[in-house]
Amino acid sequence: MKSNMNRINQRMLALKQANKKALVTYIVSGDPSPDITLDAMHALVSNGADIIELGIPFSDPMAEGPVIQLGHERALVHNVSLTSTMAIVKQFRETDTDTPVVLMGYANPIERMGYSKFATIASDSGVDGVLTVDLPPEEAVALNVELKKVEIENIFLLAPTTTVQRIREVVSLASGFVYYVSLKGVTGAGNLDLKSVKDKLTLIRQHTDLPICVGFGIKDGASAKSVAEYADGAVVGSVFVDKMGALQNEHRDVVLSAVGQLTAEIRSGLDN
Amino acid sequence: MNDLTNVADIDFSSFPDKAGHFGIYGGRFVSETLISALDDLDLMYQRLKNDPVFQAEFDKDMAHYVGRPSPLYHAERWSEKIGGAQIYLKREDLNHTGAHKVNNTIGQALLAKYSGKTRIIAETGAGQHGVASATVAARLGLKCEVFMGEEDVRRQALNVYRMKLLGATVHSVTSGTRTLKDAMNEAMRDWVTNVDDTFYIIGTVAGPHPYPELVRDFQSIIGREARQQCLNQAGRLPDALVACVGGGSNAIGLFHPFLNDESVEMYGVEAGGDGVETGRHAAPLNDGIPGVLHGSRTYLMEDENGQIIDTHSVSAGLDYPGVGPEHSWLKDIGRVEYVAINDQEALAAFRELTQIEGIMPALETSHALAYAEKMARDMPKDKIIIVNLSGRGDKDILTMAELDGITV
């Protein structure tokens, strides 16, 4: 029922036809300061990112490991919000009309804004998908209604612990792509188990034709490549946020160049 | 109360619904990885809660390990001094480990045992729940790790040491505001990582379904006993119940068995910190709005962008920006009134009860006592107020000494 106009579907289809895998890169909006995010998004794209996941800073990011927690804290020092994050996406769209942008965050800032207002502004800003970590399908019904109205994809998570019956239920509500959480743990964890990823993706594919991107624990081109052997795309986050933190006192050109270089390395690993 | 006729018709025991909702509150707002563990817990709990063998085991521990029933004590001297209503104290401070928290940890530890998990984790604010968790873990031979905000580790040093003596590992949490909410974030992160072998004992009626329900059920022994004791001692039901509310487990434990007793008024007392009007407090039901945190929809203290904000209270156990979802619902339907007591009023009540009755209450509990004193003054002498004396004050001695400028 989705129109094929959505950038996520277009991009995933184009990659499939080119026999390539999606590189999904995550940074936190406003980390380490709000004035760098727009240029960082462009640097990600020009060095090979296919989809940008933009983290909405939250005071209590329960699913994040220490690296991304600190990214949220750095952004919150500057009072970066859902509103200002969507304003950045709108600016991004002035020069990039192709690259899909997915907002990733937690339910409370969206609750506070109100689902309808959020969907309207997100659509107006050129947001393509929303992934709300603590809003599993059973609690997402009301938000889904609003997102559908404006043709924004609601990206749901599947996990190593998700049962078969539940996989069926979740994929029936999902659109855009399915985000498979590769491990039991928080973002940036070090216990990626390829065999279990392979087995679970095989199982998930029996129940959906949606593309599957895998995230959590992917640190470089090599791990992205190994995961992408079974998946349609790899999500890489903590290493970018770590870089942002390490270079927070450097000149913006240094940060942008480092972000670009890291992206190019992972892209190259993924494609080889 | 705004709509009593309606409230009287509610079957409170039928809440939450199957998905864990109390009206618009509660639910299960967690990442996908935890859903199956919560499903398993829910399934097991729904089976065991009506299982006579499980109940008998719980009752036996309550009687012989915790020391229940806890007394309902008529504080005659204090009531006389106040000159109004008669105040009765439900003595949860006399439980093993010194607070109501153990009622819940015994229940959840039994669930852990039935589930075959070998490791227990818990979050703690004042340290009472951490101590109660470490205690049951020691008794069952389970590994126990407790998450506690760095700020609380400092101000509740005695309880930290108690936990260590009991064999638990205490993790000092340095993220965010370094208090109870951050300890809970960290416990959730640990649980999502070790979900296969770990049982998370949540200490209050918050968190994702089924926690608010099962913690309430384990704590409801307080209200069931108090109701019967009041009937035995005074020959009638009380006129009012008063309990402090952080997450709200001692309050729901006292209130729940009375919810269908229309004549009984209920007051949940939040931490007013420097005063609700200053914004520096921990009173979401007085001055917050509904939102989503730690797995459920409930009243929260947050800013205009939906960020959770710093709370302030002299008592570590009430220093929490959220509250159990059932309380949010009871507020909205008008069954319970939620009020606030500030730090200075609570400290005065602490000294008052200690000196008049020889009972040293926890600083958390002191909030309830201060409100009861205010209320009692304006009530006739034949009225009865039950205050949940949820914990003893030994753990707060260093805080009191610091306020008095004394080095112990």
Side-chain angles (χ1 to χ4, degrees):
Chain A
M1 68 174 282
K2 276 281 178 248
S3 79
N4 288 323
M5 295 304 290
N6 187 292
R7 294 182 194 93
I8 296 174
N9 298 333
Q10 284 181 350
R11 178 60 56 102
M12 294 308 294
L13 189 64
L15 286 165
K16 191 169 186 174
Q17 284 165 351
N19 203 20
K20 287 178 76 179
K21 305 292 184 173
L23 173 57
V24 184
T25 54
Y26 171 96
I27 56 172
V28 179
S29 172
D31 170 33
S33 64
D35 57 3
I36 203 159
T37 303
L38 177 64
D39 288 337
M41 291 168 78
H42 287 307
L44 291 168
V45 173
S46 61
N47 287 281
D50 294 302
I51 296 177
I52 290 179
E53 255 184 28
L54 194 55
I56 305 158
F58 184 48
S59 51
D60 294 81
M62 262 173 12
E64 316 298 347
V67 168
I68 295 184
Q69 285 174 46
L70 288 174
H72 283 245
E73 288 184 13
R74 287 191 295 269
L76 286 174
V77 168
H78 302 283
N79 288 315
V80 177
S81 64
L82 180 54
T83 305
S84 62
T85 298
M86 291 195 287
I88 292 172
V89 178
K90 189 166 189 170
Q91 273 185 290
F92 177 76
R93 281 279 169 257
E94 288 171 7
T95 51
D96 186 329
T97 54
D98 298 328
T99 308
V101 175
V102 174
L103 296 183
M104 180 168 182
Y106 294 80
N108 203 50
I110 299 176
E111 290 255 328
R112 182 68 195 228
M113 180 175 282
Y115 292 163
S116 170
K117 183 179 172 191
F118 166 66
T120 304
I121 301 176
S123 172
D124 177 57
S125 309
V127 169
D128 305 289
V130 173
L131 197 174
T132 316
V133 180
D134 54 351
L135 208 59
E138 42 276 74
E139 300 290 356
V141 177
L143 178 60
N144 264 344
V145 169
E146 298 301 328
L147 293 178
K148 276 216 189 330
K149 283 184 196 164
V150 293
E151 299 198 347
I152 289 179
E153 314 284 8
N154 202 350
I155 315 287
F156 286 112
L157 301 171
L158 290 176
T161 52
T162 309
T163 59
V164 177
Q165 189 198 337
R166 196 174 158 81
I167 288 173
R168 279 194 218 110
E169 290 165 11
V170 174
V171 298
S172 73
L173 298 166
S175 59
F177 62 88
V178 170
Y179 187 130
Y180 180 67
V181 177
S182 68
L183 49 80
K184 293 170 199 156
V186 292
T187 51
N191 52 334
L192 183 63
D193 173 2
L194 279 177
K195 170 74 168 63
S196 93
V197 171
K198 179 190 173 186
D199 293 347
K200 199 74 176 194
L201 292 200
T202 307
L203 181 64
I204 295 169
R205 288 204 197 277
Q206 290 169 11
H207 301 282
T208 182
D209 294 327
L210 280 174
I212 305 173
C213 294
V214 175
F216 283 45
I218 300 172
K219 297 179 180 326
D220 50 24
S223 51
K225 167 89 178 164
S226 55
V227 156
E229 196 178 322
Y230 318 109
D232 301 292
V235 188
V236 187
S238 290
V239 288
F240 285 103
V241 178
D242 195 33
K243 191 70 84 183
M244 292 292 193
L247 301 177
Q248 60 180 308
N249 297 320
E250 301 292 330
H251 189 272
R252 56 188 287 116
D253 292 346
V254 176
V255 181
L256 293 170
S257 143
V259 165
Q261 194 187 340
L262 183 57
T263 313
E265 281 168 22
I266 299 170
R267 176 84 255 173
S268 151
L270 189 59
D271 289 345
N272 283 335
Chain B
M1 290 178 206
N2 45 34
D3 200 354
L4 256 187
T5 30
N6 242 340
V7 168
D9 292 337
I10 295 174
D11 173 12
F12 288 94
S13 66
S14 72
F15 286 84
D17 67 17
K18 278 196 160 53
H21 295 117
F22 302 89
I24 65 164
Y25 301 104
R28 194 180 267 179
F29 295 83
V30 295
S31 72
E32 179 63 28
T33 313
L34 291 176
I35 297 280
S36 73
L38 292 167
D39 277 342
D40 290 349
L41 178 60
D42 191 29
L43 206 67
M44 181 174 68
Y45 180 64
Q46 300 307 332
R47 182 169 55 81
L48 289 176
K49 77 173 180 185
N50 298 314
D51 179 289
V53 177
F54 179 82
Q55 278 307 327
E57 216 173 333
F58 180 71
D59 292 345
K60 186 179 161 201
D61 279 353
M62 287 294 114
H64 302 293
Y65 189 69
V66 176
R68 303 201 69 93
S70 67
L72 181 70
Y73 166 69
H74 184 188
E76 288 182 69
R77 187 152 182 260
W78 194 36
S79 305
E80 183 64 27
K81 179 169 182 245
I82 294 167
Q86 301 307 303
I87 297 180
Y88 286 70
L89 305 174
K90 180 59 176 162
R91 299 290 308 274
E92 294 298 301
D93 60 317
L94 295 178
N95 292 343
H96 179 45
T97 72
H100 72 289
K101 292 290 186 189
V102 73
N103 303 326
N104 168 48
T105 53
I106 292 272
Q108 289 198 52
L110 278 178
L111 292 176
K113 197 174 96 177
Y114 275 69
S115 72
K117 310 261 178 183
T118 55
R119 177 175 175 265
I120 278 173
I121 57 169
E123 85 294 337
T124 197
Q128 290 301 106
H129 175 59
V131 166
S133 297
T135 299
V136 295
R139 179 166 171 251
L140 292 174
L142 301 172
K143 193 168 182 239
C144 180
E145 298 187 35
V146 179
F147 296 88
M148 189 168 187
E150 189 182 47
E151 169 67 10
D152 294 336
V153 167
R154 184 191 65 78
R155 59 181 167 175
Q156 299 289 344
L158 283 177
N159 271 343
V160 173
Y161 188 55
R162 283 170 83 191
M163 287 184 265
K164 288 179 179 166
L165 287 173
L166 287 159
T169 305
V170 180
H171 297 284
S172 175
V173 175
T174 57
S175 58
T177 57
R178 306 174 182 208
T179 58
L180 180 54
K181 87 172 169 72
D182 308 285
M184 197 152 177
N185 289 336
E186 215 49 45
M188 288 275 189
R189 289 175 187 129
D190 181 291
W191 196 32
V192 84
T193 305
N194 301 295
V195 63
D196 290 333
D197 70 346
T198 297
F199 191 100
Y200 180 16
I201 299 189
I202 294 184
T204 189
V205 284
H209 178 65
Y211 282 101
E213 178 185 352
L214 64 87
V215 176
R216 175 199 71 197
D217 292 351
F218 292 137
Q219 291 294 3
S220 290
I221 194 167
I222 301 171
R224 284 198 305 275
E225 285 178 5
R227 195 172 181 283
Q228 193 55 51
Q229 288 166 322
C230 191
L231 288 171
N232 292 349
Q233 291 178 31
R236 65 181 185 86
L237 289 173
D239 299 286
L241 307 175
V242 181
C244 64
V245 177
S249 68
N250 91 77
I252 211 81
L254 176 64
F255 296 168
H256 201 262
F258 289 92
L259 284 172
N260 282 113
D261 295 319
E262 264 182 85
S263 65
V264 181
E265 294 184 359
M266 302 181 192
Y267 299 87
V269 186
E270 295 194 303
D274 293 346
V276 171
E277 70 288 350
T278 66
R280 292 174 48 83
H281 57 79
L285 291 168
N286 281 270
D287 191 33
I289 72 158
V292 172
L293 181 70
H294 292 154
S296 63
R297 183 178 284 122
T298 192
Y299 276 86
L300 298 175
M301 290 183 51
E302 57 175 68
D303 69 13
E304 69 282 4
N305 293 321
Q307 308 295 349
I308 309 306
I309 57 177
D310 270 11
T311 52
H312 297 273
S313 172
V314 69
S315 69
L318 302 182
D319 212 348
Y320 181 67
V323 63
E326 191 165 10
H327 285 293
S328 294
W329 178 62
L330 291 171
K331 170 191 161 74
D332 281 10
I333 64 171
R335 180 63 185 97
V336 180
E337 194 173 324
Y338 294 90
V339 297
I341 283 291
N342 67 32
D343 286 352
Q344 289 313 315
E345 295 170 312
L347 291 166
F350 176 100
R351 293 178 198 281
E352 174 95 352
L353 195 75
T354 303
Q355 288 167 14
I356 303 280
E357 292 285 353
I359 297 173
M360 192 180 292
L363 284 176
E364 291 76 12
T365 311
S366 301
H367 289 72
L369 294 164
Y371 191 76
E373 184 177 356
K374 274 190 186 178
M375 265 180 76
R377 239 180 255 140
D378 300 327
M379 290 166 72
K381 288 190 173 184
D382 60 348
K383 297 287 184 183
I384 295 174
I385 300 172
I386 296 180
V387 181
N388 197 358
L389 201 85
S390 53
R392 67 182 186 215
D394 308 42
K395 70 181 177 59
D396 296 310
I397 286 175
L398 292 180
T399 302
M400 295 306 291
E402 200 175 309
L403 289 168
D404 285 343
I406 295 168
T407 309
V408 180

